[in-house]
């Protein structure tokens, strides 16, 4: 199969199952106009996050890596009226675009963009002793994934879900000799998960408009 086939299939499913969505389309346009990298989740992947949050009955969601707020919109829409989404972003420009997109989507009352290094923001949340999150979506710099996962465990409860995106790295994750920091970080992450008795997890390979990649889904057990 070719990339054009993957694109066509994603487009078909998005047309059938996502459809026309002005807020999401405007968010994508705003991100593009601001020159943000084109690395946001695809529409059907965003819908998957939304469905996972709904299935989880999530009332509190934490996102590590905001970019332009596209995935944050999907996640925040799954929240009840008194729900909370905190999304962490290191780049001021990205945070500004995300805040605008969330406001236009009518979600600025439930979604908060926190600016700064994710490691620092996560440490601050732990220190504050915040109420546990029901779902954590990690989609930021890959070398730091092990640290983000450790902090996610401190910020969740039994039954919470932790989702880590972009774990396949075009297949490079299977290369034990790779020196790519993103691959090394991803491999260390999975070694950490495998040795962690508090979670049960699996990883899924995906193909689509974002190429060949995948995600890891972990459920906190105790």
């Amino acid at each position: 199969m070719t990339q054009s086939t993957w694109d066509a299939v994603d487009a078909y499913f998005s047309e059938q199952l996502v459809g026309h969505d002005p807020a999401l389309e405007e968010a994508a346009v705003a991100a593009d106009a601001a020159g943000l990298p084109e690395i946001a989740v695809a529409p059907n992947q965003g819908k998957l996050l939304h469905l996972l949050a709904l299935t989880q009955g999530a009332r509190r969601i934490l996102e590590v890596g905001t970019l332009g707020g596209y995935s944050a919109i999907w996640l925040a829409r799954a929240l009840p009226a008194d729900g909370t989404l905190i999304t962490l972003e290191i780049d001021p420009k990205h945070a500004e675009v995300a805040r605008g997109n969330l406001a236009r989507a009518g979600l600025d009352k439930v979604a908060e963009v926190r600016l700064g290094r994710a490691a620092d923001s996560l440490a601050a949340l732990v220190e504050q002793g915040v109420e546990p999150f029901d779902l954590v979506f990690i989609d930021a710099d890959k070398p730091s994934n092990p640290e983000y996962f450790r902090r996610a465990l401190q910020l969740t409860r039994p039954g919470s879900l932790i989702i880590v995106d972009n774990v396949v790295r075009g297949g490079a994750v299977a290369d034990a000799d790779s020196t790519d920091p993103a691959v090394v970080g991803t491999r260390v992450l999975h070694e950490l998960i495998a040795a962690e008795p508090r979670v049960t997890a699996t990883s899924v390979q995906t193909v689509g408009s974002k190429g060949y990649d995948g995600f890891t889904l972990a459920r906190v057990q105790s």
Side-chain angles (χ1 to χ4, degrees):
M1 293 295 178
T2 64
Q3 182 66 54
S4 62
T5 301
W6 299 345
D7 291 346
V9 172
D10 262 10
Y12 169 74
F13 284 132
S14 294
E15 179 182 352
Q16 294 297 315
L17 303 177
V18 177
H20 174 58
D21 191 310
L24 289 168
E25 292 163 8
E26 289 172 13
V29 169
D32 185 60
L36 272 58
E38 297 180 12
I39 55 174
V41 299
N44 54 339
Q45 295 168 341
K47 185 70 174 286
L48 174 62
L49 292 173
H50 178 77
L51 291 172
L52 287 170
L54 284 176
T55 302
Q56 182 70 358
R59 191 175 62 82
R60 288 176 55 78
I61 297 175
L62 174 64
E63 179 181 51
V64 183
T66 313
L67 195 61
Y70 187 85
S71 53
I73 292 173
W74 275 114
L75 290 166
R77 283 178 170 179
L79 291 167
D82 63 345
T84 299
L85 180 142
I86 296 176
T87 180
L88 311 179
E89 176 55 50
I90 192 172
D91 189 300
K93 182 178 180 180
H94 296 181
E96 180 183 0
V97 172
R99 290 187 181 115
N101 284 334
L102 287 163
R104 281 188 292 275
L107 296 166
D108 49 325
K109 297 296 188 290
V110 298
E112 175 191 355
V113 181
R114 294 197 179 184
L115 182 63
R117 290 180 65 248
D120 295 337
S121 297
L122 290 166
L125 287 169
V126 171
E127 186 175 348
Q128 292 164 19
V130 297
E131 184 180 347
F133 293 94
D134 306 301
L135 185 149
V136 179
F137 178 49
I138 299 172
D139 188 14
D141 61 302
K142 311 313 172 186
S144 300
N145 273 344
E147 172 67 11
Y148 298 155
F149 185 81
R150 291 188 188 96
R151 289 300 190 183
L153 280 178
Q154 295 178 290
L155 291 164
T156 49
R157 55 168 178 80
S160 294
L161 292 181
I162 302 172
I163 306 162
V164 187
D165 202 11
N166 307 129
V167 300
V168 173
R169 315 305 306 164
V173 71
D175 181 4
D177 297 322
S178 176
T179 58
D180 181 336
V183 174
V184 173
T186 302
R187 288 180 62 89
V188 172
L189 165 71
H190 288 87
E191 291 164 8
L192 178 65
I193 293 173
E196 177 53 69
R198 289 174 290 175
V199 301
T200 182
T202 192
S203 297
V204 177
Q205 300 180 76
T206 61
V207 296
S209 60
K210 298 298 179 177
Y212 170 41
D213 213 318
F215 63 91
T216 292
L217 177 65
R219 184 178 191 271
V220 181
Q221 300 287 77
S222 61

